[in-house]
Amino acid sequence: MDLELLLHFCELEAETYQVPYTVYDHSEKIYCSSPILVNIDLLTPNLTIFNKLESNVNYFITENFLIFGYIRSKCDDKLLFIGPSVIGVISDNDIKRIISRTESKMTPEQKKELQEYLRTCSIIPMGKFLNALSVASCMLNQEIVSTQQLLTKGIEEKNILKKAQQQLIHISEEEIYLNEITSHQSLTNYEEQISYLIKTGAVDQLNKMLTDFSYNFGKLGPDSLRHFKNSSIILNSLALRAAIAGNLNPGTCYKLGRFYVQQLELCTNIDSLSTLTLSMVKDYCMRVKNEQAIKTGEDVINKSIDYITENCHTKITVTMIAEEVGLSPEYLSSKFKKVTGINLPNFINQKKIQEAQKLLAFTSMSLSDISESLAFSNQSYFQAIFKKVTGITPLAYRKEKNF
């Protein structure tokens, strides 16, 4: 695209959003809106992360509460780098750790300049940063990526949510640890535990986990409200992804994600934020539970559906299910159709295609790998069943979702 137009856009957007905009051409910096960051290379230390990502637009949140965004040009080798900006309460120790990550490539003067920048930059609302990223994607690639879609794209460093919450809420490791979860899966951090509970619709365990938390707020400074809003928005993003993984309709999840970002921003104190955040997490989990709940009054049909859901990635036949529930294949097929209104083989295919949709939307797995993962006899058959169930081909679905 026209370089002069791009630089003018970056200048205006940097002033509007109060976030640095940097343009690279073939990995060489050609523009930076921030005078302090002109001579500081913040892209190279993060290239390993960005090069792993396949999408043209994404963002990354570090454990030190910095947020970076990038947009790759689809027509040339330009890269628009947005940030860093601060999304949480950043301490002197956080600044030291940030400096240490780039220390080998910085002169003493550059270190001093970066420290100055980090101490003076303001906290940005997550929603505002995602808006900036969405607008930049429209400009650079003429590509619409909504803030709801961006909520599912972002990458957070390990334990970022736990650390964010612990700066606001004094929670001991013992209070976080749950035997109910770890007995099923080795989960070692707060984010994974919440994601697992939402994905599995484990409402009772989630309520216990949240009830056991101790909310004791100390003096967190004037930016604590903004910090809590952003940590809650991160939690919203994680909950949204977990709900989709738990088979909640993606469209419903996007609407919920947008709704909760708006409601979180409207909160005027930490008490209301805390109440809304807890309700938000429970809402996602309850919706997943309701989606996964068996709606028939027949135990044998419920067991059949459970078996199909739990064995979606293996070969499933009517005979196998019949043996599992103790009925003849003929009787089970007749009863299943009578109770659910759906032919049993068709129901098996529907469940497999629901899983395929998640893999297409949120992974880079090839069609052949997805077909094999879901135990279809071959890729052609998988594609035919996918189109029969959804009305479009797997590739068209992936392109439509644009994740």
Side-chain angles (χ1 to χ4, degrees):
M1 70 174 302
D2 183 80
L3 181 59
E4 184 178 355
L5 179 63
L6 175 60
L7 299 187
H8 180 63
F9 167 82
C10 290
E11 184 178 344
L12 294 176
E13 293 298 280
E15 184 175 345
T16 299
Y17 290 103
Q18 294 299 296
V19 179
Y21 279 60
T22 306
V23 179
Y24 291 83
D25 191 359
H26 294 85
S27 299
E28 178 184 353
K29 184 188 292 185
I30 60 174
Y31 168 83
C32 182
S33 66
S34 170
I36 297 177
L37 300 179
V38 166
N39 298 315
I40 298 175
D41 179 19
L42 291 172
L43 176 63
T44 302
N46 295 287
L47 271 179
T48 303
I49 299 165
F50 292 146
N51 287 338
K52 292 179 181 178
L53 307 174
E54 295 186 354
S55 59
N56 293 319
V57 54
N58 214 322
Y59 65 93
F60 176 63
I61 302 174
T62 76
E63 64 176 356
N64 305 117
F65 305 111
L66 296 185
I67 185 167
F68 300 85
Y70 79 93
I71 304 97
R72 289 195 189 100
S73 172
K74 296 198 299 187
C75 59
D76 53 33
D77 289 315
K78 290 186 178 61
L79 175 72
L80 176 54
F81 193 68
I82 303 178
S85 190
V86 178
I87 65 159
V89 178
I90 188 168
S91 67
D92 287 341
N93 286 334
D94 289 324
I95 292 175
K96 288 178 183 178
R97 282 191 288 270
I98 294 166
I99 298 296
S100 68
R101 291 178 68 169
T102 56
E103 195 166 20
S104 61
K105 300 181 179 297
M106 295 174 63
T107 66
E109 291 77 15
Q110 289 174 328
K111 287 172 58 178
K112 186 176 180 181
E113 288 176 343
L114 181 56
Q115 286 175 332
E116 179 186 349
Y117 169 77
L118 293 173
R119 286 196 175 100
T120 57
C121 66
S122 58
I123 296 176
I124 187 171
M126 269 285 292
K128 188 175 182 180
F129 187 89
L130 295 181
N131 282 338
L133 202 56
S134 179
V135 170
S137 176
C138 289
M139 176 64 182
L140 193 60
N141 288 324
Q142 288 77 57
E143 182 176 55
I144 297 175
V145 182
S146 69
T147 54
Q148 297 98 284
Q149 289 175 317
L150 287 173
L151 280 172
T152 67
K153 285 176 174 286
I155 295 176
E156 300 88 17
E157 279 195 338
K158 190 174 182 179
N159 292 326
I160 173 62
L161 178 60
K162 180 178 174 182
K163 184 179 176 185
Q165 297 293 78
Q166 285 181 328
Q167 282 204 2
L168 297 158
I169 308 169
H170 302 304
I171 307 173
S172 71
E173 286 296 326
E174 287 185 356
E175 289 173 314
I176 293 177
Y177 192 81
L178 290 180
N179 290 330
E180 291 95 332
I181 304 171
T182 52
S183 62
H184 292 285
Q185 191 170 337
S186 296
L187 301 175
T188 58
N189 64 65
Y190 182 46
E191 305 98 295
E192 289 177 352
Q193 291 180 29
I194 288 181
S195 294
Y196 178 78
L197 293 175
I198 293 173
K199 182 171 65 175
T200 57
V203 173
D204 291 341
Q205 293 96 321
L206 181 65
N207 283 336
K208 182 181 185 303
M209 180 182 184
L210 298 175
T211 301
D212 287 347
F213 284 172
S214 174
Y215 290 84
N216 300 311
F217 298 101
K219 291 184 178 180
L220 301 170
D223 290 325
S224 61
L225 181 63
R226 178 70 263 161
H227 177 71
F228 194 13
K229 282 185 179 181
N230 283 331
S231 68
S232 294
I233 290 172
I234 294 170
L235 178 56
N236 178 39
S237 175
L238 292 171
L240 187 157
R241 298 175 210 169
I244 291 176
N247 283 329
L248 190 59
N249 181 275
T252 300
C253 291
Y254 298 145
K255 290 177 182 177
L256 282 175
R258 180 175 65 241
F259 169 77
Y260 279 119
V261 168
Q262 292 170 345
Q263 295 303 306
L264 290 167
E265 290 292 357
L266 291 174
C267 290
T268 58
N269 57 69
I270 289 178
D271 285 341
S272 62
L273 269 170
S274 175
T275 300
L276 177 60
T277 300
L278 293 177
S279 298
M280 172 187 77
V281 175
K282 293 177 183 179
D283 184 21
Y284 278 109
C285 192
M286 181 59 75
R287 287 172 184 267
V288 171
K289 180 180 180 180
N290 291 338
E291 181 69 20
Q292 296 177 348
I294 306 305
K295 297 180 174 62
T296 78
E298 299 281 346
D299 287 344
V300 69
I301 302 301
N302 297 345
K303 289 179 181 178
S304 299
I305 294 174
D306 285 342
Y307 180 88
I308 295 167
T309 302
E310 293 168 7
N311 295 278
C312 207
H313 287 268
T314 64
K315 183 179 179 180
I316 306 173
T317 66
V318 174
T319 300
M320 292 165 63
I321 302 170
E323 290 177 356
E324 182 70 20
V325 300
L327 297 177
S328 71
E330 295 77 15
Y331 182 70
L332 175 62
S333 295
S334 174
K335 190 175 184 64
F336 193 96
K337 177 68 180 293
K338 182 178 179 180
V339 173
T340 67
I342 305 173
N343 178 282
L344 187 49
N346 289 343
F347 184 85
I348 295 170
N349 285 333
Q350 285 180 12
K351 283 295 182 182
K352 285 180 177 285
I353 295 306
Q354 286 176 3
E355 184 65 17
Q357 288 176 306
K358 290 186 292 182
L359 295 175
L360 287 165
F362 298 104
T363 77
S364 59
M365 288 175 66
S366 66
L367 296 188
S368 61
D369 286 343
I370 293 174
S371 173
E372 183 178 351
S373 170
L374 294 169
F376 282 96
S377 57
N378 56 64
Q379 183 179 329
S380 297
Y381 181 65
F382 161 65
Q383 290 177 278
I385 295 298
F386 190 99
K387 186 171 183 180
K388 181 179 179 181
V389 172
T390 66
I392 59 175
T393 66
L395 287 178
Y397 180 86
R398 174 170 273 171
K399 184 177 180 180
E400 178 185 290
K401 295 307 175 185
N402 194 33
F403 299 148

